[in-house]
Amino acid sequence: MAKKVYLGMIADIMHPGLINIINQGAKYGDVIIGLFTDRAIATHKRLPYLSYDQRKKVVESINGVSEVVPQDDWSYVPNLRKYKPDYIIHGDDWKDGKAKPLRDEVFKVMKELGGEVIEIPYTYGIDSSSLAKEIDSLGTTPEARMKKLRRLINAKPIVRILESHCGLTGLIIENLSIEAGGETRQFDGMWSSSLTDSTSKGKPDIEAVDLTNRLHDLNDTLEVTTKPVIFDGDTGGKTEHFVFTVRTLERLGISAVIIEDKVGLKQNSLFGTDAQQTQATIEDFCHKISSGKEAQITDDFMIIARIESLIAGKPVEDALERATAYVKAGADGIMIHSKNKDGMDIKEFCLKFREQDKNTPIVAVPTTYNQFTEDELASWGINVVIYANHMLRSAYPAMVNCAKSILENKRSYEANDMCMSIKEILTLIPGTKKETK
Ligand code: SPV
Ligand code: MG
């Protein structure tokens, strides 16, 4: 009987290095490709460009591949135990760095199984990560960007979104990445906030900055990023207008719009009952949701209903009644908001909502109840966490301090340490320096 050779792959961008390793594997026996699923990848790397099924189609038709099976975990161990291969084959680029623990456990399990680990010299100059970087620098398409949010919600325990109000904050969210807790941690996408869009223009958050203006500025973020965007649609305006908003956002490749069930002059929710917060009737808001859903062209765009009951001082039961109705009207997700500091109303809502609805994504904006970690929020059933204003709120005190220092000292020398270096700002933006011949 032919020996079994296991080879784990993401196989998003095919290149000669991957063909080489398949050919090498085929010398030892039948090659089983463990194709990483979105779920296996999402907490470690950015999502592949191609879906699992698309990648599977490509890999299945490569000479030397006998079978393609899903690898649903970043670790190889579960699949090694399941398929009990005689060999596992891997590039030798996992001997140190963050992949080393993966390698160590593979050696241990293969020894247990009586199998062997084959390491193939890494093909320098052609690897998927550098190709992915090249592709990122080319940008994205509206369609690919829009689809990403649903894929991330399906693939991750919790999707991590940060507010962006300009191209620069977009670049931070796009590129910042840290290694922590054995994973590569990044933001998954951007929140286009009415509060910070308005505030950065020196205007109040009362829908005074109109859609045209907000989209004009959002374009700066779209131009320099590839990650998905969730748009704060405020009340959505009149239903007759909202249907046009949906189409506009969809055309731009925005993944989701969140609209809140309020009427009258919109006031920021974090005023809570200090401002008049009048909620729409369930019937009227359901009509707005279903009209928006009818207007959209793709299946990917999401309309998320934001429930303001807890903001308006009403009980969790009112929020639950609304959630049920909004989902029935077609909402693709529920955002539950509160300004309470202890978060217990949000927790109660989520746990009760999950008893009746296991799947509809829940979005939370933990600005006041930010003592909870993402893991805790996920354990309540929350799928998307939005850090809704933190880029602007952190920039403002930094700017005021710098300005104060200049006033106090009548020069900017003392502010040097508060500022990024000239060298850093000159090289920060990709493509700044033109190569001279
Ligand atoms: C925003 O960021 O504009 C929001 C969230 O709508 S909140 O400010 O908390 O209402
Ligand atoms: Mg808002």
Side-chain angles (χ1 to χ4, degrees), residues 298-315:
T298 66
D299 289 334
D300 303 306
F301 186 72
M302 298 173 78
I303 297 179
I304 298 173
R306 163 170 168 176
I307 298 172
E308 293 282 294
S309 306
L310 306 175
I311 292 291
K314 294 195 192 146

Side-chain angles (χ1 to χ4, degrees), residues 12 15 64 67 82 92 97-98 103 117 133 137 276 297 331 333 363 367-368 417 436:
D12 193 23
H15 59 80
E67 196 186 347
K82 182 165 177 189
D92 66 357
K98 63 180 180 185
R103 177 181 187 262
V117 182
K133 260 200 193 121
S137 72
Q276 193 173 1
I297 293 170
V363 181
T367 302
T368 53
D417 290 348
T436 45

Side-chain angles (χ1 to χ4, degrees), residues 191 193-195 205 232 260 268-270 306 337 365 367 388:
W191 166 241
S193 152
S194 68
L195 175 64
D205 181 18
D232 178 358
E260 56 198 273
N268 185 275
S269 302
L270 299 175
R306 163 170 168 176
H337 204 17
V365 180
T367 302

Side-chain angles (χ1 to χ4, degrees), residues 271-299:
F271 282 122
T273 47
D274 293 346
Q276 193 173 1
Q277 310 276 5
T278 317
Q279 263 182 305
T281 64
I282 292 185
E283 196 186 3
D284 285 352
F285 200 65
C286 284
H287 177 58
K288 199 180 274 186
I289 295 166
S290 57
S291 303
K293 287 307 292 176
E294 275 166 32
Q296 76 181 61
I297 293 170
T298 66
D299 289 334

